[in-house]
């Protein structure tokens, strides 16, 4: 398939084709992950999932049918995929299926509708797992050194922030019965009080989606009414923060060392106004890390703003490393 078959509707380094984003080169795609600019007039998978809070909506159905997708719901990747999970990079049409954790690839644009219809038996459609580094397979180790080195140096220079516990602290002790492996460490705590239950969910995670990889730390706080059949809903907790430390090494880059940091300091997201979730994305790119070693201490008040007394919880997850 020649690039000339794609309409020349330019949007910076991106072309739009019938609701599909196309990056002219793999470097353009990798720069987009670095810069994270808003793509104007594009209905993305992120746009679709923004409607997921309404039962019966298409976004709600997609999220329900793709349980794995909830792990990526706040990633920039979904801003670049169309509602079918598709994107074009150079001459390749790529579809990410979050349910099966599979990437489908073709250089024959005429197969687009077959991929939308989940008809993948054609020999023109190749199949890869989310664990494979697809950009490396399709394009080799092409890296934009000038644009990326500066970015990673800036990320390494996170300002020093005051914290309750310095990096390397042995208190509070680590939670050893949490759900941990070399890619993710999760912990859930539930505290009941006066007809309500409050829940904190914390994690370190290294996530893979074939053309996208990220290392992150987060803690979220929820509540539910025990006298009704209602589910969990987000609940503000002004006490939440994360102190994190460790290091990671991007492919063909120097090791980046992380500083201890409150969630509200420079480099931490979302901004402090969103107290239902405190999240730090340490790395987000199209190519995988060669190594990572991530620690963190989590501080949360189960009960948030609404419990009469609540329960303060401070804990340290086992670090994830590879």
């Amino acid at each position: 398939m020649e690039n000339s078959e794609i309409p020349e509707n330019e949007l910076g380094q991106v072309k739009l084709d019938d609701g599909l984003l196309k990056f002219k080169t793999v470097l353009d795609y990798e720069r987009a992950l670095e810069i994270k600019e808003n793509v104007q007039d594009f209905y993305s998978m992120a746009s679709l999932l923004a409607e997921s809070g309404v039962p019966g909506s298409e976004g709600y159905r997609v999220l329900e049918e793709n349980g794995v997708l909830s792990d990526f719901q706040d990633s920039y990747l979904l801003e670049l995929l169309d509602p079918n999970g598709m994107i074009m990079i150079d001459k390749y049409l790529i579809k990410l299926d979050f349910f099966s954790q599979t990437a489908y690839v073709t250089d024959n644009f005429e197969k687009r509708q077959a991929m939308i219809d989940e008809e993948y038996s054609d020999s023109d459609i190749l199949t890869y797992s989310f664990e494979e580094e697809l950009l490396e397979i399709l394009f080799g180790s092409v890296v934009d050194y000038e644009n990326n080195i500066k970015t990673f140096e800036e990320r390494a220079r996170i300002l020093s922030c005051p914290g309750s516990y310095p990096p390397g602290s042995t208190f509070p002790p680590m939670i050893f019965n949490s759900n941990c492996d070399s890619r993710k460490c999760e912990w859930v705590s539930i505290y009941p009080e006066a007809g309500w239950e409050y829940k904190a969910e914390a994690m370190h995670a290294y996530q893979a989606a074939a053309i996208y990889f990220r290392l992150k730390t987060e803690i979220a706080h929820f509540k539910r009414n025990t006298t009704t059949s209602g589910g969990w809903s987000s609940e503000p907790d002004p006490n939440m923060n994360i102190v994190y430390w460790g290091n990671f090494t991007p492919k063909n880059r120097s090791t980046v060392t992380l500083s201890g940091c409150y969630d509200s300091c420079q480099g931490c997201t979302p901004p402090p106004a969103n107290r239902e979730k405190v999240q730090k994305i340490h790395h987000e790119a199209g190519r995988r890390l060669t190594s990572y070693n991530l620690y963190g201490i989590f501080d949360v008040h189960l009960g948030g703003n609404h419990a009469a007394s609540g329960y303060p919880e401070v804990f340290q997850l086992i670090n994830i490393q590879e």
Side-chain angles (χ1 to χ4, degrees):
M1 179 185 66
E2 297 295 329
N3 288 348
S4 59
E5 294 179 19
I6 304 301
E8 295 292 323
N9 179 15
E10 294 285 349
L11 183 64
Q13 294 297 316
V14 180
K15 297 177 182 178
L16 289 173
D17 171 59
D18 189 25
L20 182 71
L21 284 188
K22 179 184 185 297
F23 292 86
K24 292 189 293 185
T25 71
V26 65
L27 293 183
D28 291 330
Y29 170 71
E30 294 189 275
R31 290 188 192 111
L33 290 178
E34 293 281 350
I35 298 170
K36 297 179 178 59
E37 289 183 338
N38 276 338
V39 182
Q40 300 295 323
D41 301 320
F42 175 58
Y43 189 72
S44 64
M45 180 168 276
S47 304
L48 176 69
L49 293 183
E51 306 163 358
S52 62
V54 181
S57 70
E58 181 66 10
Y60 188 88
R61 182 191 65 78
V62 169
L63 195 58
E64 286 290 300
E65 292 183 0
N66 294 270
V68 177
L69 189 55
S70 61
D71 285 343
F72 293 89
Q73 194 172 359
D74 54 4
S75 73
Y76 181 71
L77 172 66
L78 301 192
E79 301 285 349
L80 304 179
L81 299 176
D82 79 352
N84 296 300
M86 302 177 80
I87 190 172
M88 281 202 72
I89 303 175
D90 197 320
K91 65 179 181 178
Y92 296 105
L93 177 63
I94 301 169
K95 178 179 178 178
L96 299 183
D97 185 322
F98 289 90
F99 180 75
S100 64
Q101 299 187 57
T102 302
Y104 298 96
V105 182
T106 184
D107 63 359
N108 184 348
F109 192 72
E110 293 180 357
K111 302 301 179 182
R112 182 185 181 189
Q113 188 58 50
M115 293 171 72
I116 291 174
D117 295 337
E118 300 183 357
E119 298 172 358
Y120 305 122
S121 59
D122 195 295
S123 60
D124 282 348
I125 301 175
L126 303 179
T127 302
Y128 302 90
S129 78
F130 270 23
E131 296 301 317
E132 295 183 85
E133 190 170 6
L134 187 52
L135 297 186
E136 198 84 2
I137 294 171
L138 297 179
F139 303 103
S141 56
V142 178
V143 179
D144 188 350
Y145 287 95
E146 290 185 3
N147 281 279
N148 283 329
I149 287 178
K150 180 179 179 182
T151 303
F152 283 116
E153 286 177 349
E154 288 174 349
R155 286 181 181 173
R157 293 197 299 268
I158 298 173
L159 294 181
S160 176
C161 305
S164 301
Y165 311 97
S169 172
T170 58
F171 180 83
M174 289 185 182
I175 296 177
F176 287 98
N177 62 348
S178 52
N179 180 21
C180 296
D181 55 33
S182 63
R183 294 289 293 274
K184 181 182 285 188
C185 194
E186 299 176 291
W187 176 83
V188 176
S189 179
I190 296 178
Y191 176 76
E193 181 170 326
W196 293 90
E197 282 186 323
Y198 298 89
K199 177 175 70 170
E201 295 181 350
M203 74 162 63
H204 294 309
Y206 179 61
Q207 299 174 317
I211 60 171
Y212 174 85
F213 300 87
R214 72 172 174 176
L215 180 69
K216 72 170 185 174
T217 303
E218 71 177 36
I219 185 169
H221 185 243
F222 306 90
K223 73 170 182 178
R224 69 178 176 187
N225 191 322
T226 57
T227 62
T228 68
S229 58
W232 294 101
S233 60
S234 295
E235 173 72 358
D237 175 10
N239 302 286
M240 285 196 299
N241 63 67
I242 302 169
V243 179
Y244 63 86
W245 65 93
N247 56 69
F248 62 87
T249 307
K251 186 177 288 290
N252 298 325
R253 294 289 183 274
S254 299
T255 296
V256 176
T257 300
L258 302 172
S259 299
C261 176
Y262 272 146
D263 71 285
S264 57
C265 78
Q266 181 181 4
C268 294
T269 57
N274 180 4
R275 304 309 300 223
E276 295 88 350
K277 182 176 184 179
V278 176
Q279 174 176 267
K280 172 60 185 172
I281 297 175
H282 308 288
H283 173 76
E284 189 173 32
R287 298 173 192 261
R288 69 171 62 249
L289 295 172
T290 59
S291 68
Y292 51 88
N293 187 24
L294 179 61
Y295 295 80
I297 292 174
F298 298 81
D299 202 335
V300 63
H301 185 269
L302 288 165
N305 289 333
H306 291 265
S309 58
Y311 180 74
E313 185 84 83
V314 183
F315 59 94
Q316 183 174 175
L317 285 178
I318 298 172
N319 68 308
I320 59 169
Q321 56 185 323
E322 181 171 284

